[in-house]
Amino acid sequence: MRLLVRWVAAGWVAAVALDARAGVDADLSEIDANVASLARTSGDLDRRLASAGRGFLAGDAAVLRFEDCVFADMIGEHQRAAEGFFALVSSGALDGTPLQADAEFSFAESLRAMGNLETAESRYLLIAESPNHPFRSESVRRLLELYADSGRSDAFYRWFESEILRGKVAANPKIQYAVGRSFYRQGDMGKAKAYLDEVPPGNAWFGRARYLLGSIAVRAKDLDSALVHFREVLDETHAATADAAVVDYARLAEARVLYEKGEFLDAAVVYSLVSRAEDRFADRLYETVWTFVQLEDWDAALRSVEMFALAFPEHAYTAQLRLLSAHLLVARKDHDGAAEGYERVRRDYEPLRTRLGELAREPQRAAEFYGRALTFGAEEAELEGVPTYAVAMLLAEDEVQRAVDNGQEVANELADVAVSESLVRELRLVLDHRAGLTSFEQMRFELVEAQTMALAERLRLLGAEAEFRRTPRGPSWESASIQVKATLDRISAARRDLEAYERSVGELQIRANELSSDVASLESDLATVRVATQMGATGLDPSTIEQELARAQAALLVAEGAVGSNAIPSSVLAVMNAGVDPELDRAVDGLVADAARARTATDPEGKRIDGFHNALDQTEARLQAMAGNIGNVESSKLSLVRAQLEREAADVLVQRNDVARLESRSRTVGAALTLEGFKSLEAFFEDALLRADTGLVDVRWSQLMTTQEAIEGALKQRNELVADLERRFQLIRTRATE
């Protein structure tokens, strides 16, 4: 019986020992995973700190800001997108992440979309000069496009030779087309043709390349080759990948070439295939009219004129077609209809010619119209007593077009300055009105969290070792465990508070961004109205915009104040400021030392446990080093960003002064050129009236001649009848005499 009891007791002890060993093994496996996770966390923090942190927007806040900017760019709010991208790039909020490169290139793209080409160029250059930047090739292509469009041949050839010819930037279809188009715009048709010929089929660039090749052939008067290229765009195998607009333009080009070759019937057929898209349909109808004129199909030509008048009653071509309609009625021998047409031209054009003559002698009116055209565009440009179609003709006049183009360049420069000022303001907001934790604050929080978790794993490791050895953990272990658990609970609660805080700040920042965009838009509107008023435009009341702007600015101040006053939760600040209790840290170190001294060389788990402690030693040492470096890096980063801000602000001030001088000169030139446009249009309608008068005289003469011929014919018939009667009477008299 005693033997059985001893056997049972021994078995129970062994079973308990096995259970304890199994539990310890499970704990050690979990500790192993946690220690590895802590090592990864410390490594991530170290990398972020080594890359100068992630600026002044942290983690999710920076990513959300990036996504908001991308969305703004997609919906056409390029200024809001540019401001956001600038803040992200300049503050380094995305440093060390793949999104940094995206933000840099997206910033340049937003600027280009806004027409802020000078600043966009500087950003593309920064990327192009970075050998390993993922968007380097795209930036080189954009630079080539900018230099070609602006006629800066030296810069174009420098980048072309260093990047394309030397193979640094792969000449894919997009780049081949861009380079070919750039040479085309510079007038170097040989090189343009060489690169356009290399664009392979199967992509959208092929159709564009073929179209330009056709244009080159037209300029060389090689119409047969031009037809081949234009028809390549229309080929079923290629048209599927081409843009609809490119297909339409290729059809228009094919029809025009056929017209030049005298193949008018074929040209008319091709014109009929052009779509009804408004910007192409007008050309299609107008050119179809002249095609039928060449075919002497007066009825078809008249039908085309009527269709054009219905579709585009206020188009710049309208005045020409009204006179042509009367000419066509003459050709059709419809003299009454032609006379009515010429009379209508006289009724419409005589007061218009008179009005334009008055305007041509009033420079102030020219300045007013120029201001309106520049400020509001062709759709909103109006002239009292001048119909819309004549205004469209005026805007198409060479002199007026030059004036508007010149003024638009100045307006773009003003917009560039306004955007640059807005970007500087946005960066100041990032520095002075933060949204959420900065990346450095975020790292401090994560650092304390990681250090506390390392202590927790130390204590858990010591507890597992005590359980395995079946020795008491002791009051010191119990006390340290309670303190660590309480600290982890506070950190967990603080993290929940932080997440709620960042959601709140994010919503407030979105509202502030919307108001900032509204303010920028209103400031731009007010600036253009003031410029137009200074140029002599009347009927513009800036006070309404000023009032609306004042309300928007006040709302923005409130929103920014709400962002700034939404203080970081005290629980979060407590975690960051308190750090790890040094007394607790020393207490845990003492427990680790005691356990190490109690461990024997023959201890089966000693080596494994020592390995865990060594790994934790390395992690804690790395975390401790970072704790001392964060402040230094933050101070250095802040000084760099502020220095950059001051440089940007100084550059913007220089730009503002330069553009102000240019803008003053452009007003005088624009008004003078517009006045010449009034005179030119007056001459056009003077000539139209002369042609109408001439046509009316011809019609009346034809009608008169037709009437005279009828009278002479009746008289001749009467005379013949009288002569016949005379012969008969003579015969009767002769017979009577007999």
Side-chain angles (χ1 to χ4, degrees), residues 3 63 114 133 157 188 240 259 295 302 371 441 621 624 633 643 729 736:
L3 181 61
V63 173
M114 292 170 57
H133 200 288
Y157 282 112
D188 192 336
Y259 183 98
L295 289 168
L302 279 167
E441 290 167 337
Q624 188 59 39
V633 175
F729 281 125

Side-chain angles (χ1 to χ4, degrees), residues 306-320:
E306 291 168 0
M307 189 181 300
F308 187 96
L310 288 172
F312 305 99
E314 303 295 347
H315 198 278
Y317 296 154
T318 300
Q320 299 177 45

